[in-house]
mmCIF file with all atom_site columns, all heavy atoms in Angstrom:
data_model
loop_
_atom_site.group_PDB
_atom_site.id
_atom_site.type_symbol
_atom_site.label_atom_id
_atom_site.label_alt_id
_atom_site.label_comp_id
_atom_site.label_asym_id
_atom_site.label_entity_id
_atom_site.label_seq_id
_atom_site.pdbx_PDB_ins_code
_atom_site.Cartn_x
_atom_site.Cartn_y
_atom_site.Cartn_z
_atom_site.occupancy
_atom_site.B_iso_or_equiv
_atom_site.pdbx_formal_charge
_atom_site.auth_seq_id
_atom_site.auth_comp_id
_atom_site.auth_asym_id
_atom_site.auth_atom_id
_atom_site.pdbx_PDB_model_num
ATOM 1   N N   . PHE B 1 51 ? -8.269  -3.204  -6.062 1.00 0.00 ? 51 PHE B N   1
ATOM 2   C CA  . PHE B 1 51 ? -9.618  -2.964  -5.567 1.00 0.00 ? 51 PHE B CA  1
ATOM 3   C C   . PHE B 1 51 ? -10.149 -4.176  -4.816 1.00 0.00 ? 51 PHE B C   1
ATOM 4   O O   . PHE B 1 51 ? -10.302 -5.242  -5.390 1.00 0.00 ? 51 PHE B O   1
ATOM 5   C CB  . PHE B 1 51 ? -10.563 -2.649  -6.729 1.00 0.00 ? 51 PHE B CB  1
ATOM 6   C CG  . PHE B 1 51 ? -10.052 -1.556  -7.627 1.00 0.00 ? 51 PHE B CG  1
ATOM 7   C CD1 . PHE B 1 51 ? -9.883  -1.783  -8.975 1.00 0.00 ? 51 PHE B CD1 1
ATOM 8   C CD2 . PHE B 1 51 ? -9.730  -0.319  -7.116 1.00 0.00 ? 51 PHE B CD2 1
ATOM 9   C CE1 . PHE B 1 51 ? -9.411  -0.784  -9.810 1.00 0.00 ? 51 PHE B CE1 1
ATOM 10  C CE2 . PHE B 1 51 ? -9.250  0.684   -7.937 1.00 0.00 ? 51 PHE B CE2 1
ATOM 11  C CZ  . PHE B 1 51 ? -9.084  0.452   -9.292 1.00 0.00 ? 51 PHE B CZ  1
ATOM 12  N N   . PHE B 1 52 ? -10.424 -3.993  -3.522 1.00 0.00 ? 52 PHE B N   1
ATOM 13  C CA  . PHE B 1 52 ? -11.034 -5.037  -2.687 1.00 0.00 ? 52 PHE B CA  1
ATOM 14  C C   . PHE B 1 52 ? -10.201 -6.332  -2.683 1.00 0.00 ? 52 PHE B C   1
ATOM 15  O O   . PHE B 1 52 ? -10.753 -7.407  -2.495 1.00 0.00 ? 52 PHE B O   1
ATOM 16  C CB  . PHE B 1 52 ? -12.456 -5.374  -3.162 1.00 0.00 ? 52 PHE B CB  1
ATOM 17  C CG  . PHE B 1 52 ? -13.423 -4.246  -2.943 1.00 0.00 ? 52 PHE B CG  1
ATOM 18  C CD1 . PHE B 1 52 ? -13.647 -3.297  -3.920 1.00 0.00 ? 52 PHE B CD1 1
ATOM 19  C CD2 . PHE B 1 52 ? -14.104 -4.131  -1.743 1.00 0.00 ? 52 PHE B CD2 1
ATOM 20  C CE1 . PHE B 1 52 ? -14.529 -2.247  -3.717 1.00 0.00 ? 52 PHE B CE1 1
ATOM 21  C CE2 . PHE B 1 52 ? -14.986 -3.091  -1.526 1.00 0.00 ? 52 PHE B CE2 1
ATOM 22  C CZ  . PHE B 1 52 ? -15.205 -2.151  -2.517 1.00 0.00 ? 52 PHE B CZ  1
ATOM 23  N N   . ALA B 1 53 ? -8.902  -6.202  -2.928 1.00 0.00 ? 53 ALA B N   1
ATOM 24  C CA  . ALA B 1 53 ? -8.081  -7.411  -2.992 1.00 0.00 ? 53 ALA B CA  1
ATOM 25  C C   . ALA B 1 53 ? -6.734  -7.176  -2.317 1.00 0.00 ? 53 ALA B C   1
ATOM 26  O O   . ALA B 1 53 ? -6.237  -6.057  -2.330 1.00 0.00 ? 53 ALA B O   1
ATOM 27  C CB  . ALA B 1 53 ? -7.867  -7.802  -4.454 1.00 0.00 ? 53 ALA B CB  1
ATOM 28  N N   . PRO B 1 54 ? -6.105  -8.226  -1.796 1.00 0.00 ? 54 PRO B N   1
ATOM 29  C CA  . PRO B 1 54 ? -6.670  -9.583  -1.693 1.00 0.00 ? 54 PRO B CA  1
ATOM 30  C C   . PRO B 1 54 ? -7.716  -9.704  -0.575 1.00 0.00 ? 54 PRO B C   1
ATOM 31  O O   . PRO B 1 54 ? -8.457  -10.669 -0.543 1.00 0.00 ? 54 PRO B O   1
ATOM 32  C CB  . PRO B 1 54 ? -5.442  -10.447 -1.389 1.00 0.00 ? 54 PRO B CB  1
ATOM 33  C CG  . PRO B 1 54 ? -4.472  -9.527  -0.720 1.00 0.00 ? 54 PRO B CG  1
ATOM 34  C CD  . PRO B 1 54 ? -4.716  -8.161  -1.289 1.00 0.00 ? 54 PRO B CD  1
ATOM 35  N N   . HIS B 1 55 ? -7.749  -8.704  0.346  1.00 0.00 ? 55 HIS B N   1
ATOM 36  C CA  . HIS B 1 55 ? -8.733  -8.784  1.437  1.00 0.00 ? 55 HIS B CA  1
ATOM 37  C C   . HIS B 1 55 ? -9.823  -7.740  1.215  1.00 0.00 ? 55 HIS B C   1
ATOM 38  O O   . HIS B 1 55 ? -9.527  -6.549  1.206  1.00 0.00 ? 55 HIS B O   1
ATOM 39  C CB  . HIS B 1 55 ? -8.045  -8.547  2.781  1.00 0.00 ? 55 HIS B CB  1
ATOM 40  C CG  . HIS B 1 55 ? -6.845  -9.425  2.989  1.00 0.00 ? 55 HIS B CG  1
ATOM 41  N ND1 . HIS B 1 55 ? -6.958  -10.786 3.125  1.00 0.00 ? 55 HIS B ND1 1
ATOM 42  C CD2 . HIS B 1 55 ? -5.524  -9.135  3.038  1.00 0.00 ? 55 HIS B CD2 1
ATOM 43  C CE1 . HIS B 1 55 ? -5.732  -11.296 3.259  1.00 0.00 ? 55 HIS B CE1 1
ATOM 44  N NE2 . HIS B 1 55 ? -4.849  -10.319 3.210  1.00 0.00 ? 55 HIS B NE2 1
ATOM 45  N N   . PRO B 1 56 ? -11.054 -8.151  1.018  1.00 0.00 ? 56 PRO B N   1
ATOM 46  C CA  . PRO B 1 56 ? -12.128 -7.188  0.751  1.00 0.00 ? 56 PRO B CA  1
ATOM 47  C C   . PRO B 1 56 ? -12.538 -6.425  2.011  1.00 0.00 ? 56 PRO B C   1
ATOM 48  O O   . PRO B 1 56 ? -12.296 -6.889  3.126  1.00 0.00 ? 56 PRO B O   1
ATOM 49  C CB  . PRO B 1 56 ? -13.272 -8.091  0.282  1.00 0.00 ? 56 PRO B CB  1
ATOM 50  C CG  . PRO B 1 56 ? -13.032 -9.389  0.972  1.00 0.00 ? 56 PRO B CG  1
ATOM 51  C CD  . PRO B 1 56 ? -11.546 -9.540  1.088  1.00 0.00 ? 56 PRO B CD  1
ATOM 52  N N   . GLY B 1 57 ? -13.137 -5.250  1.805  1.00 0.00 ? 57 GLY B N   1
ATOM 53  C CA  . GLY B 1 57 ? -13.716 -4.519  2.933  1.00 0.00 ? 57 GLY B CA  1
ATOM 54  C C   . GLY B 1 57 ? -14.918 -5.290  3.432  1.00 0.00 ? 57 GLY B C   1
ATOM 55  O O   . GLY B 1 57 ? -15.858 -5.491  2.671  1.00 0.00 ? 57 GLY B O   1
ATOM 56  N N   . GLU B 1 58 ? -14.854 -5.744  4.678  1.00 0.00 ? 58 GLU B N   1
ATOM 57  C CA  . GLU B 1 58 ? -15.910 -6.636  5.144  1.00 0.00 ? 58 GLU B CA  1
ATOM 58  C C   . GLU B 1 58 ? -16.672 -6.100  6.352  1.00 0.00 ? 58 GLU B C   1
ATOM 59  O O   . GLU B 1 58 ? -17.467 -6.820  6.954  1.00 0.00 ? 58 GLU B O   1
ATOM 60  C CB  . GLU B 1 58 ? -15.320 -8.011  5.478  1.00 0.00 ? 58 GLU B CB  1
ATOM 61  C CG  . GLU B 1 58 ? -14.147 -7.971  6.435  1.00 0.00 ? 58 GLU B CG  1
ATOM 62  C CD  . GLU B 1 58 ? -13.530 -9.350  6.620  1.00 0.00 ? 58 GLU B CD  1
ATOM 63  O OE1 . GLU B 1 58 ? -14.140 -10.180 7.309  1.00 0.00 ? 58 GLU B OE1 1
ATOM 64  O OE2 . GLU B 1 58 ? -12.434 -9.585  6.069  1.00 0.00 ? 58 GLU B OE2 1
ATOM 65  N N   . TRP B 1 59 ? -16.405 -4.831  6.726  1.00 0.00 ? 59 TRP B N   1
ATOM 66  C CA  . TRP B 1 59 ? -17.079 -4.275  7.900  1.00 0.00 ? 59 TRP B CA  1
ATOM 67  C C   . TRP B 1 59 ? -17.608 -2.882  7.616  1.00 0.00 ? 59 TRP B C   1
ATOM 68  O O   . TRP B 1 59 ? -17.034 -2.129  6.835  1.00 0.00 ? 59 TRP B O   1
ATOM 69  C CB  . TRP B 1 59 ? -16.102 -4.170  9.086  1.00 0.00 ? 59 TRP B CB  1
ATOM 70  C CG  . TRP B 1 59 ? -15.467 -5.456  9.489  1.00 0.00 ? 59 TRP B CG  1
ATOM 71  C CD1 . TRP B 1 59 ? -14.179 -5.840  9.244  1.00 0.00 ? 59 TRP B CD1 1
ATOM 72  C CD2 . TRP B 1 59 ? -16.073 -6.529  10.208 1.00 0.00 ? 59 TRP B CD2 1
ATOM 73  N NE1 . TRP B 1 59 ? -13.949 -7.094  9.758  1.00 0.00 ? 59 TRP B NE1 1
ATOM 74  C CE2 . TRP B 1 59 ? -15.088 -7.539  10.362 1.00 0.00 ? 59 TRP B CE2 1
ATOM 75  C CE3 . TRP B 1 59 ? -17.345 -6.746  10.738 1.00 0.00 ? 59 TRP B CE3 1
ATOM 76  C CZ2 . TRP B 1 59 ? -15.353 -8.732  11.012 1.00 0.00 ? 59 TRP B CZ2 1
ATOM 77  C CZ3 . TRP B 1 59 ? -17.593 -7.939  11.392 1.00 0.00 ? 59 TRP B CZ3 1
ATOM 78  C CH2 . TRP B 1 59 ? -16.609 -8.914  11.529 1.00 0.00 ? 59 TRP B CH2 1
ATOM 79  N N   . ASP B 1 60 ? -18.691 -2.544  8.314  1.00 0.00 ? 60 ASP B N   1
ATOM 80  C CA  . ASP B 1 60 ? -19.118 -1.149  8.415  1.00 0.00 ? 60 ASP B CA  1
ATOM 81  C C   . ASP B 1 60 ? -18.512 -0.600  9.694  1.00 0.00 ? 60 ASP B C   1
ATOM 82  O O   . ASP B 1 60 ? -18.512 -1.289  10.724 1.00 0.00 ? 60 ASP B O   1
ATOM 83  C CB  . ASP B 1 60 ? -20.654 -1.069  8.538  1.00 0.00 ? 60 ASP B CB  1
ATOM 84  C CG  . ASP B 1 60 ? -21.337 -1.469  7.258  1.00 0.00 ? 60 ASP B CG  1
ATOM 85  O OD1 . ASP B 1 60 ? -20.890 -1.026  6.194  1.00 0.00 ? 60 ASP B OD1 1
ATOM 86  O OD2 . ASP B 1 60 ? -22.326 -2.234  7.323  1.00 0.00 ? 60 ASP B OD2 1
ATOM 87  N N   . TYR B 1 61 ? -18.002 0.609   9.620  1.00 0.00 ? 61 TYR B N   1
ATOM 88  C CA  . TYR B 1 61 ? -17.437 1.231   10.811 1.00 0.00 ? 61 TYR B CA  1
ATOM 89  C C   . TYR B 1 61 ? -18.426 2.241   11.374 1.00 0.00 ? 61 TYR B C   1
ATOM 90  O O   . TYR B 1 61 ? -19.084 2.966   10.618 1.00 0.00 ? 61 TYR B O   1
ATOM 91  C CB  . TYR B 1 61 ? -16.108 1.939   10.471 1.00 0.00 ? 61 TYR B CB  1
ATOM 92  C CG  . TYR B 1 61 ? -14.921 1.008   10.451 1.00 0.00 ? 61 TYR B CG  1
ATOM 93  C CD1 . TYR B 1 61 ? -15.006 -0.251  9.894  1.00 0.00 ? 61 TYR B CD1 1
ATOM 94  C CD2 . TYR B 1 61 ? -13.698 1.390   11.005 1.00 0.00 ? 61 TYR B CD2 1
ATOM 95  C CE1 . TYR B 1 61 ? -13.927 -1.105  9.874  1.00 0.00 ? 61 TYR B CE1 1
ATOM 96  C CE2 . TYR B 1 61 ? -12.600 0.549   10.991 1.00 0.00 ? 61 TYR B CE2 1
ATOM 97  C CZ  . TYR B 1 61 ? -12.725 -0.701  10.422 1.00 0.00 ? 61 TYR B CZ  1
ATOM 98  O OH  . TYR B 1 61 ? -11.640 -1.555  10.408 1.00 0.00 ? 61 TYR B OH  1
ATOM 99  N N   . HIS B 1 62 ? -18.514 2.287   12.688 1.00 0.00 ? 62 HIS B N   1
ATOM 100 C CA  . HIS B 1 62 ? -19.427 3.223   13.362 1.00 0.00 ? 62 HIS B CA  1
ATOM 101 C C   . HIS B 1 62 ? -18.644 4.031   14.392 1.00 0.00 ? 62 HIS B C   1
ATOM 102 O O   . HIS B 1 62 ? -17.825 3.466   15.136 1.00 0.00 ? 62 HIS B O   1
ATOM 103 C CB  . HIS B 1 62 ? -20.544 2.456   14.077 1.00 0.00 ? 62 HIS B CB  1
ATOM 104 C CG  . HIS B 1 62 ? -21.269 1.481   13.207 1.00 0.00 ? 62 HIS B CG  1
ATOM 105 N ND1 . HIS B 1 62 ? -22.395 1.797   12.503 1.00 0.00 ? 62 HIS B ND1 1
ATOM 106 C CD2 . HIS B 1 62 ? -20.988 0.181   12.894 1.00 0.00 ? 62 HIS B CD2 1
ATOM 107 C CE1 . HIS B 1 62 ? -22.799 0.741   11.809 1.00 0.00 ? 62 HIS B CE1 1
ATOM 108 N NE2 . HIS B 1 62 ? -21.952 -0.253  12.028 1.00 0.00 ? 62 HIS B NE2 1
ATOM 109 N N   . LEU B 1 63 ? -18.926 5.307   14.442 1.00 0.00 ? 63 LEU B N   1
ATOM 110 C CA  . LEU B 1 63 ? -18.284 6.175   15.433 1.00 0.00 ? 63 LEU B CA  1
ATOM 111 C C   . LEU B 1 63 ? -19.324 6.542   16.487 1.00 0.00 ? 63 LEU B C   1
ATOM 112 O O   . LEU B 1 63 ? -20.398 7.067   16.156 1.00 0.00 ? 63 LEU B O   1
ATOM 113 C CB  . LEU B 1 63 ? -17.745 7.441   14.744 1.00 0.00 ? 63 LEU B CB  1
ATOM 114 C CG  . LEU B 1 63 ? -17.057 8.454   15.637 1.00 0.00 ? 63 LEU B CG  1
ATOM 115 C CD1 . LEU B 1 63 ? -15.841 7.860   16.336 1.00 0.00 ? 63 LEU B CD1 1
ATOM 116 C CD2 . LEU B 1 63 ? -16.618 9.678   14.817 1.00 0.00 ? 63 LEU B CD2 1
#
Side-chain angles (χ1 to χ4, degrees):
Chain B
F51 308 123
F52 292 91
H55 308 293
E58 53 185 286
W59 302 105
D60 291 316
Y61 277 41
H62 308 269
L63 180 60

